[in-house]
Amino acid sequence: MSYYCPHTKEDIKAMLGAIGVNSVDDLFKDIKPSYKPKSFDLPKGKSEMEVMDYFQKLAATNCSSIAKFIGGGFYDHYIPAVADALSSRSEFYTAYTPYQPECSQGTLQAVYEYQSAICALTGMEIANASLYDGGTALYEAAMMATKITGRNKIVVDGGVNPIYRKILYTYTKNLHIDFVEIPVSHSQSTRAEMFKYFDDKTAGVILQNPNFFGAIDDHTDIIEKAHSVGAIAIESVYPISLGLLKSPREMNADIATGEGQSMGLPLSFGGPYLGFMATKKEFARKMPGRIAGVTVDKNGKRGFVLTLQAREQHIRREKATSNICSNEALCAMRAIIYLASLGKEGLRELAQLNHDKAEFAKTLLEKIKGVEVKRNSPTFNEFTVLLPKDADSVVNAMIDKNFFAGIPLGRFYKDMEKYLLVAVTEKRSKKEIEDFAVALKSVI
Amino acid sequence: MELIFEKSVKGRRGISLPVPDVPTAKMDGRYLRAKAAELPEVSELDIVRHFTNLSRMNFSVDTNFYPLGSCTMKYNPKFTETIANLAGFRELHPLMAQFDYAEGLVRGALEVLYDVEVLLAEITGMKEVTTEPLAGAHGELTGIMLIAAYHNHKKNKKKYVLVPDSSHGTNPASAAIAGYELISIPTGKDGCVDMDEYKAKLTNDVAAVMLTCPNTLGIFNTHIKEVADLAHKVDALMYYDGANLNAIMGKVRPGDVGFDVIHLNLHKTFATPHGGGGPGAGPVGVSEKLVDFLPVPKVVKNKDGSFSLKENKPKSIGRIAPFYGNFGVILKAYAYILLLGREGLIEASEMAVLNANYCMALLKKAYNLPYDRTCMHEFVLSAAKQLEHGIRALDIAKYLIDNGIHPPTIYFPLIVKEAIMVEPTETESKETLDRFIEVMLKAAELSQKDPEVLKNAPTTMPVSRLDEVKAAKDINCSHI
């Protein structure tokens, strides 16, 4: 058993004496004997060595070293050593939400810098200190749109990540929000179909770039149309792609959101991840979550505080903009360290590298007989492939060759059983991509 | 300190990328951004020095006593970090679990989730647990959505959620966001829910009663079973805010005294670090009534000992997170539970309660104690006496900073005037507590003798007292 409690018997005796009771049990007298647990059947404590051995064995049963051509919004990007080294400084990770700014300037300034970097990426004016994940961020953006407009219809592009769409619908089940989903396949948003649902009841439109099929788009026209009916335009974006692609602001979106996992966070089987959100200044007070802001101290020196707290649950309680309390500050810390490491040119180069590797993969894959790379739209680093047989079985066969080949789209879309969504990041070498193509050919 | 953006010099780089080994492919110009994002251009050493120096401007559990009431800032064992960083967990893509042949790829990860759910169910006395929620407040929202699903399924027409006036702000916020209207119940003289008011407000229209037990005054509600029995009579469900579970491990289980839903803040009770505001993790446990409504996917153990994800649950509320929760955080909590074991968890609660009562006993001489009775792992003082000299709870907090102590929570719960909410946690030594008590007593003394010292504090930090009003008025939340 590990002892993190430092008290000796003498300490305990002295403390009980100061309190004026005879035993520790006396301190639990408010818990009636009839409230005793029916059971508390837990294993005996173990040593670090024993626990380490147990987890090492467990970890070894996971196939983590497989070459990952799988994305779906969560990517196998390289993580610079500085991101691990600096975010694991315990002054950062063992601190709490910075309620006392004078002794939390480290966290607060880092969060402010993170917000600044998110604004730089998205082109927006104000960002929050992060949300739980990209899906939650999208849901919170949808709620913002209903609050800003006082309307309740949300038009959702079918190219929005199906995982996010499920989260969106779960969260809002008990609220009076009508979602309209616009179908799309292997391509850009289908404008004509979408515009049918833009009217004076539309609170917002939710778009994604690149979309789940990997297609990149310029949504300027859709956003303009949304604005013409008084709706809010929400754009979910893949941060690495913003090294190259038009920013949400350049398309005149009102709210930008996304999943921050790609910015220096390990895949870690689903979390912790990081949802980012940025908007125009005019909507700052409608944006949920923590926000760090600049101010001055008594002597006029610059300092940072959590600001706009009047919107939050600890002050406004049931009238708060959201119930979000904690954010993902340590993950945001990794993101700013990651982005600062890459810098302005590095992010552009990284994005280009991702794009080029994916394009290279396309050229090899489409040489395989029976395989068709969908080229309906330009893509960033993920694209769809039509296979001559069920994609599930192909992915299965590819695992034996040590490749995780991608996402069989039949899992998320009807009649797409033969489609595979393939992602290629900078971590996939030319050789690995070539081997991937050879392996795919052999299992088709 | 300068911003990392202010240290930017055009042309500097923090990391080199591999030389491209594939041809460059041009992209259609209409999809490209006009200008590269204005990220800082800095060297690796610039970055290392910048963030290392920033870290030194922080108070943290590893550097300072941090008795932040209601937030449970206990020591975070280093060992559990090592576990979460094992490559077999850290580099695992979550979608790999969602295919038919997943077990061969992610068996260990699924086993972790399954075992953690079983352990947390045993600790809380609930029937089943989901690890999916990503934070305590997220767990709360999930819990209320489960309650709504239950009532919808039974075609119960319910409109209200009852919440004590001492509750965490997330309780009313979560209930409101799940579509309910709030009714606040006042706190009685004993610091517990006022039973007469409770009975009067508990009608057939009530969907749920949300309680923290021990509550935010640090008091265990001695009538808790009666509260639950009355709620169940009108088919209202009992929601347990698990923020204070640290006080009662092995002493009482929420499931045994009638709670139907509980969320846990893993970072509080199970010592996972909170990272300056997150990540946390907020698993939710439920009683038999709510099992069918738990979110998907759910990890199940098959008869042959294998594990799989169950997606098809017709009554489920659906998906509330992209995957299976904050897995890295869940791993740390799991390792912590295995290290401490049954006796260690009980000891943790006992020592947390001992430490709180010790501090309370010695501080009530100098500060008002609005609810003077045995506390659990935290207690609430009032600086009302000090206010007579013009000294507020805020001033005392800032004075503690000058003495190297992170201040307790102040101005919460809202029902106590000039509240100072202290939670020492079980991992602090008597020497640390004695020093804290000494500084608090000194603050009380100074409030009479030399109040200016308190009003001017802190003077030892990188910045002195900051103008929070200005920050909200002249909004500057981005350097760009």
Side-chain angles (χ1 to χ4, degrees), chain B residues 148-156 293 315:
Chain B
Y150 167 86
H151 290 308
N152 290 342
H153 181 72
K154 289 186 77 180
K155 303 206 162 37
N156 286 345
F293 305 105
K315 289 185 197 164

Side-chain angles (χ1 to χ4, degrees), chain A residues 204-436:
Chain A
V205 58
I206 299 182
L207 304 161
Q208 182 176 315
N209 192 42
N211 70 13
F212 193 69
F213 301 99
I216 59 176
D217 205 340
D218 177 357
H219 289 134
T220 308
D221 57 330
I222 297 178
I223 292 169
E224 195 180 333
K225 190 88 175 170
H227 286 164
S228 74
V229 298
I232 295 291
I234 299 160
E235 180 98 14
S236 176
V237 285
Y238 173 18
I240 304 303
S241 78
L242 291 176
L244 280 181
L245 298 185
K246 211 167 246 190
S247 70
R249 183 61 178 162
E250 285 175 292
M251 302 182 203
N252 205 18
D254 300 290
I255 308 170
T257 67
E259 172 54 62
Q261 178 270 325
S262 291
M263 300 187 285
L265 274 70
L267 284 162
S268 192
F269 202 56
Y273 291 166
L274 159 69
F276 62 85
M277 176 186 259
T279 187
K280 297 172 175 172
K281 216 164 191 172
E282 59 187 294
F283 302 131
R285 284 167 208 277
K286 295 278 195 292
M287 181 168 61
R290 306 288 194 199
I291 302 170
V294 174
T295 188
V296 292
D297 73 0
K298 286 203 306 198
N299 307 315
K301 189 175 173 188
R302 178 173 71 184
F304 302 87
V305 294
L306 290 179
T307 191
L308 299 178
Q309 295 188 70
R311 313 157 296 128
E312 292 188 66
Q313 34 72 31
H314 57 275
I315 295 176
R316 293 261 289 171
R317 293 173 77 86
E318 72 265 28
K319 293 187 185 72
T321 49
S322 149
N323 81 324
I324 294 241
C325 180
S326 61
N327 51 34
E328 305 283 302
L330 193 69
C331 304
M333 180 89 62
R334 294 185 75 98
I336 178 61
I337 294 166
Y338 177 83
L339 292 172
S341 297
L342 281 170
K344 184 177 171 179
E345 284 307 311
L347 183 69
R348 198 188 54 74
E349 281 172 29
L350 178 72
Q352 187 71 48
L353 197 54
N354 271 262
H355 173 252
D356 295 346
K357 296 224 170 190
E359 292 302 310
F360 178 68
K362 278 184 187 173
T363 61
L364 297 189
L365 296 186
E366 63 195 353
K367 280 183 195 150
I368 302 169
K369 200 170 168 224
V371 170
E372 182 193 341
V373 172
K374 297 302 275 187
R375 287 188 177 272
N376 311 18
S377 303
T379 59
F380 174 59
N381 71 350
E382 198 163 14
F383 55 91
T384 60
V385 176
L386 176 59
L387 301 170
K389 54 185 178 188
D390 187 78
D392 250 307
S393 68
V394 171
V395 170
N396 204 0
M398 287 290 279
I399 286 166
D400 291 338
K401 300 187 175 292
N402 215 21
F403 291 101
F404 206 95
I407 300 171
L409 283 174
R411 285 191 61 82
F412 295 113
Y413 294 89
K414 262 189 199 159
D415 308 323
M416 288 197 196
E417 281 73 22
K418 290 183 177 175
Y419 283 95
L420 185 66
L421 183 65
V422 178
V424 190
T425 70
E426 77 282 358
K427 273 178 86 175
R428 303 286 79 82
S429 67
K430 183 181 180 206
K431 172 85 169 46
E432 220 168 12
I433 297 168
E434 286 166 348
D435 291 348
F436 177 70

Side-chain angles (χ1 to χ4, degrees), chain B residues 452-475:
Chain B
E452 287 308 304
V453 174
L454 299 173
K455 283 184 191 166
N456 289 330
T459 57
T460 59
M461 290 292 109
V463 288
S464 61
R465 238 180 259 196
L466 290 157
D467 186 348
E468 304 201 19
V469 176
K470 179 182 160 57
K473 210 172 69 189
D474 310 326
I475 301 172

